[in-house]
Amino acid sequence: METNAEQLRTLAAVVDHGTFERAAAALHITPSAVSQRIKALEEQSGRVLVRRSKPIEPTEAGAVLVRLARQVALLEAEAVAELAGSDQDTTAAIPLVVNADSLATWVLPALAALPGLSFDVVLDDQEHTLDRLRDGTAMAAISSDPEPVQGCVVSPLGAMTYRPTASPAFVDRWCPRGWTPDTAAAAPMLVFDRKDTLQDRYLARFAPGAHPPRHHIPASTEFVRAAELGLGWAMLPDLQADEPVAEGRLVVLDPDGALDVPLYWQQWSLRSAVLGRVAAEIDAAAARTLRRPPAS
């Protein structure tokens, strides 16, 4: 098949904006022109590329071409900047998928160390970020999966350590005589969202079969705040909990109950100077903050 950059750019705009009309406005063309470009690209590929849903979503074949569109756009922008002899990056926003705890603790300083770049950061659980790489909506992701997505490369970053933590008031109310499996089965629990399995993983080991009441708190900073207020217990990362524990606002319920969540950097397998800079800063920030195994 033969494609051109204009058609690929249009496909990416349709997926990004969710409708032909919004894509047309972003590209400064008519919706009819958008439709014609998508139709031509589908005819050339012999595949249906988008589902006409609300919002529009790429098919499996469409995701392949969306990823190609973003790769072409990135390399074009780098080439333009190099030809112009510019010291400033001229790339479009780089889409990244980051888990909320990493964004709230160690990732932002890495992004701030990259002046001239702009980022489109999407939050997702570390166990579910790879779907964004597969469908072409992200160039890179922080994931807990060491297996590279097709067309991507992966490198280890380190691990975030989580511990069962609660407020002193919670302890006084629910476990004044100690944290036991029976208490864990009855005491209210915090979970980030319905993808968050950390608390259940801990319970499977500490109190098998326990199904305590739970509160969903889908924001990282507010999640810690909910634990401080005694709303429930939660698996909190040391990077967020160390200070409130030292100040007495939180206590660790089970010193032996730590869970390590390994994190990996996955990015397109593409010779891109921009992605290389981003990967280097992310790795440096991870080296400063995450637990890394000793060198063998």
Side-chain angles (χ1 to χ4, degrees):
M1 62 173 289
E2 294 184 3
T3 63
N4 61 51
E6 187 177 75
Q7 291 172 337
L8 292 173
R9 191 177 301 113
T10 302
L11 175 62
V14 167
V15 172
D16 286 343
H17 295 281
T19 69
F20 282 17
E21 291 75 16
R22 291 176 181 172
L27 296 171
H28 306 292
I29 59 177
T30 66
S32 176
V34 169
S35 180
Q36 290 171 13
R37 291 179 186 179
I38 298 300
K39 181 179 180 181
L41 192 56
E42 288 181 328
E43 289 176 349
Q44 291 169 22
S45 65
R47 301 284 192 278
V48 175
L49 300 179
V50 295
R51 300 183 185 91
R52 271 67 172 180
S53 55
K54 293 185 178 180
I56 287 175
E57 296 180 347
T59 62
E60 185 174 347
V64 173
L65 292 185
V66 169
R67 186 166 62 247
L68 174 61
R70 300 195 195 286
Q71 293 173 343
V72 169
L74 176 63
L75 294 178
E76 281 183 343
E78 289 186 8
V80 168
E82 186 174 350
L83 289 172
S86 173
D87 293 331
Q88 298 295 319
D89 294 294
T90 58
T91 58
I94 298 171
L96 304 177
V97 188
V98 181
N99 61 303
D101 291 340
S102 291
L103 188 66
T105 53
W106 64 273
V107 167
L108 283 180
L111 302 186
L114 293 162
L117 299 182
S118 57
F119 299 94
D120 183 0
V121 178
V122 175
L123 291 179
D124 207 343
D125 185 84
Q126 62 268 6
E127 297 178 1
H128 297 85
T129 56
L130 299 190
D131 290 340
R132 307 268 184 178
L133 286 174
R134 293 188 182 97
D135 66 18
T137 58
M139 294 182 184
I142 294 175
S143 167
S144 61
D145 193 335
E147 294 299 320
V149 170
Q150 184 175 2
C152 293
V153 293
V154 61
S155 58
L157 293 172
M160 292 185 74
T161 300
Y162 291 74
R163 303 177 198 276
T165 311
S167 71
F170 178 95
V171 172
D172 289 343
R173 178 178 180 183
W174 291 98
C175 47
R177 295 181 177 82
W179 182 244
T180 67
D182 288 342
T183 301
M189 180 175 80
L190 303 178
V191 292
F192 186 81
D193 59 22
R194 285 163 180 79
K195 296 179 181 179
D196 178 12
T197 63
L198 274 176
Q199 286 72 216
D200 288 314
R201 285 168 55 190
Y202 168 76
L203 287 178
R205 185 175 66 185
F206 181 74
H211 297 285
R214 58 191 64 200
H215 303 287
H216 293 89
I217 312 292
S220 187
T221 301
E222 287 73 14
F223 191 77
V224 177
R225 181 63 176 151
E228 291 179 345
L229 292 172
L231 195 61
W233 71 273
M235 298 296 292
L236 297 182
D238 287 351
L239 290 174
Q240 285 181 299
D242 279 350
E243 181 177 326
V245 167
E247 295 175 352
R249 290 181 283 127
L250 290 172
V251 295
V252 176
L253 298 172
D254 179 3
D256 298 322
L259 289 178
D260 283 340
V261 176
L263 298 176
Y264 300 86
W265 175 253
Q266 296 229 23
Q267 70 173 58
W268 291 345
S269 181
L270 188 68
R271 294 181 63 87
S272 162
V274 168
L275 280 182
R277 287 177 56 202
V278 176
E281 288 295 340
I282 290 290
D283 184 71
R288 292 190 296 269
T289 55
L290 302 186
R291 189 184 64 76
R292 287 190 165 181
S296 57

